[in-house]
Amino acid sequence: MTVVNEDRLIDADVELDLICRHDPPLMETKKAELEGLLRLSTDAVRKTTRLVETVQSRLDWFSALLFPSPEPDRMGGIAGYVYKSIHAVNDLVEAGISTAFKISGNKETSGSPSRTREVGRSILNGVIGDYLQAENNPLAIGMEIRANGIPQTDDMLLQHMSNGRHILLLIHGSCGSDLSWECVTTGNDYGTVLARELKAIPLYVHYNSGLHISENGKALAFHLNRLAGLQTLASDIQKETLPKIHVLAYSMGGLLIRSACHYAQTNQRAYNSHRWLDQMLHSIVFLGTPHHGALLERCGKRFDRILASNSYTEPFSWIGKVRSQGVMDLGYGNIRDEDWKHVNQEDTIKNYDDNRLPTPLPTHIQCFAIAGIVNANIHPTQSIVVDIVGDGLVSESSALGKDHPTRPELNICIPTTRRKTIYNVNHDGLLKNVEVLDTIRSFLMKVDP
């Protein structure tokens, strides 16, 4: 690692902790990914078998009366023997897989993953990424900064920064990756087109979107400090003025940068934010970000509660609980530990209140917001329809961070001149729309120097 003055890096203990949790090897091998998939398969068999046995034990009361089991929600007699046999065989298969991979080692050379594998892995992390990390599954993604699909070392980043250009940092959304950005007119992604016009370096954050947004926010604060330290070093070498960092954040990515700014403001020493937050982070464009949460996830919580209310259907609510902590955070747009730590995952499904603490944007950073509406025929006066439909996932008021129905202190107060609603575009379409690209360009071009 390139040596940088200590005032440009965060405390060693904090840095070590974040690196251990978020920085895996640069390239995952196909063998590691295969091992991760096989382990995930045996986990699925175990949990599915447990679900079926629980449902049968609650419905088949006659067998439970004839062959009682000492354990709750377990079958006795022949049925119990069958379930135990399935678990035993599954455990043997899992042990055999683990032993085989340990014996074979990891002799296969690493390579850049294909687009299909990368997209599939990102989706899997969005859905169950917290589980993958807890199980140390090789499929879990660690946060990293990428360029052209390649994770960047400090030396590689310094090479990019040697000409003193600004940085355009792009942050993808839930279940996404750095491959999510694209432009329909040029074949290039948003980052490439905008960076060329801004004379900036396009860099992409790649992260496990299944983790709590607050956890990813802390890790992002570390990486922003890392970028600022390297950029400052490059500027000192070239004897140039300090470049700026511009952020384009899509969907969940917007909540990540808000979380990073919050932790940088509240703990400046830990994240050394006096450099990157106060002097270098210049503008943020929020693209379809659910500042007030997403209705679909809140509906999911209510459906889980309906299933959990009856002992016969309660086991099926376990399926809903499989979705990741990151997805659950999207219900109300949680960005701080305090927003979700008052309840555990079980309680979250029974809790429908917006318990977030007000987290305003840094006043010195120029922020912009773009919302999408799927149908141009919806008139702005039809506020109820707009708030329900929005871009299909995020309502207009949530994407613009305004008009919270009960708690106005949660609004993020972006000026109307820095907000725009675009019609005939859905949530995914925000990443590949000419009008959206033109709007982002116009916002960034009028950023104050």
Side-chain angles (χ1 to χ4, degrees):
M1 179 177 179
T2 303
V3 177
V4 184
N5 293 342
E6 64 174 358
D7 68 329
R8 293 172 187 160
L9 290 178
I10 61 177
D11 292 345
D13 291 341
V14 178
E15 179 181 3
L16 179 60
D17 178 58
L18 288 169
I19 288 175
C20 289
R21 287 188 292 139
H22 295 280
D23 286 350
L26 293 179
M27 294 292 182
E28 298 287 353
T29 64
K30 291 182 181 179
K31 185 174 289 187
E33 292 180 356
L34 177 60
E35 180 187 4
L37 283 172
L38 292 173
R39 285 171 53 185
L40 196 60
S41 299
T42 55
D43 286 345
V45 170
R46 182 181 299 106
K47 293 182 184 300
T48 302
T49 303
R50 182 77 180 91
L51 172 64
V52 173
E53 183 179 12
T54 299
V55 172
Q56 183 178 354
S57 69
R58 297 187 184 185
L59 294 177
D60 191 359
W61 58 268
F62 185 72
S63 297
L65 184 65
L66 289 179
F67 307 103
S69 172
E71 301 178 64
D73 294 331
R74 293 293 179 96
M75 292 296 295
I78 296 177
Y81 175 77
V82 170
Y83 286 118
K84 288 178 182 177
S85 298
I86 293 174
H87 284 298
V89 171
N90 190 58
D91 290 343
L92 284 173
V93 171
E94 185 177 44
I97 291 171
S98 179
T99 302
F101 277 102
K102 286 180 180 177
I103 293 174
S104 64
N106 197 358
K107 299 177 182 178
E108 183 176 334
T109 57
S110 298
S112 182
S114 69
R115 182 183 181 89
T116 302
R117 284 168 53 206
E118 191 79 349
V119 170
R121 188 179 173 204
S122 297
I123 293 173
L124 188 65
N125 273 259
V127 177
I128 57 171
D130 54 338
Y131 175 78
L132 294 176
Q133 178 166 290
E135 295 293 317
N136 293 316
N137 192 299
L139 289 171
I141 292 172
M143 183 175 285
E144 56 195 10
I145 304 295
R146 292 185 171 187
N148 300 316
I150 301 172
Q152 300 293 289
T153 64
D154 286 357
D155 289 335
M156 294 166 74
L157 288 171
L158 272 175
Q159 182 93 20
H160 289 302
M161 299 170 182
S162 60
N163 57 7
R165 290 188 297 170
H166 303 305
I167 287 178
L168 176 63
L169 189 68
L170 294 92
I171 311 173
H172 64 74
S174 178
C175 297
S177 72
D178 55 314
L179 302 176
S180 301
W181 304 89
E182 61 181 21
C183 178
V184 292
T185 54
T186 64
N188 296 321
D189 62 37
Y190 281 4
T192 304
V193 175
L194 294 168
R196 186 184 305 122
E197 298 176 8
L198 291 169
K199 296 183 175 152
I201 309 159
L203 297 175
Y204 303 78
V205 179
H206 186 52
Y207 65 97
N208 180 347
S209 58
L211 302 181
H212 274 299
I213 290 171
S214 57
E215 294 177 7
N216 276 323
K218 295 170 189 174
L220 178 58
F222 161 71
H223 282 287
L224 281 165
N225 180 54
R226 173 192 172 206
L227 285 177
L230 293 169
Q231 203 170 30
T232 304
L233 180 62
S235 298
D236 289 347
I237 294 172
Q238 300 295 325
K239 301 187 184 305
E240 296 175 344
T241 57
L242 206 58
K244 303 296 183 183
I245 299 176
H246 305 280
V247 174
L248 174 58
Y250 168 67
S251 194
M252 179 189 280
L255 300 179
L256 253 68
I257 186 62
R258 286 185 60 198
S259 179
C261 290
H262 163 72
Y263 285 108
Q265 284 181 307
T266 56
N267 195 346
Q268 287 200 356
R269 183 176 182 276
Y271 297 101
N272 198 32
S273 56
H274 70 280
R275 177 75 66 174
W276 67 264
L277 182 62
D278 297 338
Q279 300 180 35
M280 300 179 71
L281 185 56
H282 206 49
S283 65
I284 303 172
V285 178
F286 297 104
L287 183 59
T289 294
H291 295 288
H292 295 327
L295 178 62
L296 186 62
E297 167 56 23
R298 295 198 293 274
C299 290
K301 286 182 173 65
R302 283 164 172 75
F303 184 68
D304 288 335
R305 187 187 187 187
I306 294 172
L307 290 176
S309 64
N310 185 286
S311 61
Y312 295 120
T313 59
E314 189 268 338
F316 293 103
S317 70
W318 302 350
I319 299 173
K321 297 174 187 177
V322 167
R323 66 187 186 275
S324 68
Q325 296 165 339
V327 170
M328 288 188 174
D329 279 343
L330 289 175
Y332 288 108
N334 298 334
I335 62 175
R336 299 164 59 168
D337 290 341
E338 297 89 343
D339 294 341
W340 57 267
K341 272 193 173 178
H342 62 287
V343 288
N344 58 34
Q345 186 169 342
E346 297 284 332
D347 297 330
T348 301
I349 292 174
K350 301 175 183 178
N351 193 297
Y352 306 108
D353 296 327
D354 190 346
N355 294 293
R356 291 178 296 151
L357 297 175
T359 309
L361 297 168
T363 55
H364 66 283
I365 297 175
Q366 300 173 70
C367 296
F368 307 85
I370 299 173
I373 300 291
V374 294
N375 193 336
N377 295 323
I378 300 177
H379 194 272
T381 57
Q382 299 174 288
S383 58
I384 296 178
V385 178
V386 170
D387 273 346
I388 292 176
V389 177
D391 63 16
L393 289 178
V394 181
S395 69
E396 181 189 32
S397 60
S398 182
L400 300 180
K402 66 184 185 74
D403 299 336
H404 192 282
T406 58
R407 299 180 60 197
E409 69 273 16
L410 295 177
N411 295 331
I412 58 174
C413 303
I414 296 177
T416 54
T417 56
R418 296 180 180 177
R419 305 192 308 236
K420 184 170 182 180
T421 299
I422 297 176
Y423 291 86
N424 286 328
V425 61
N426 60 24
H427 194 68
D428 289 336
L430 289 169
L431 289 174
K432 41 193 152 185
N433 182 278
V434 177
E435 187 178 357
V436 171
L437 177 60
D438 289 340
T439 302
I440 298 170
R441 180 189 290 112
S442 67
F443 281 160
L444 291 176
M445 289 301 180
K446 65 182 180 183
V447 169
D448 297 333

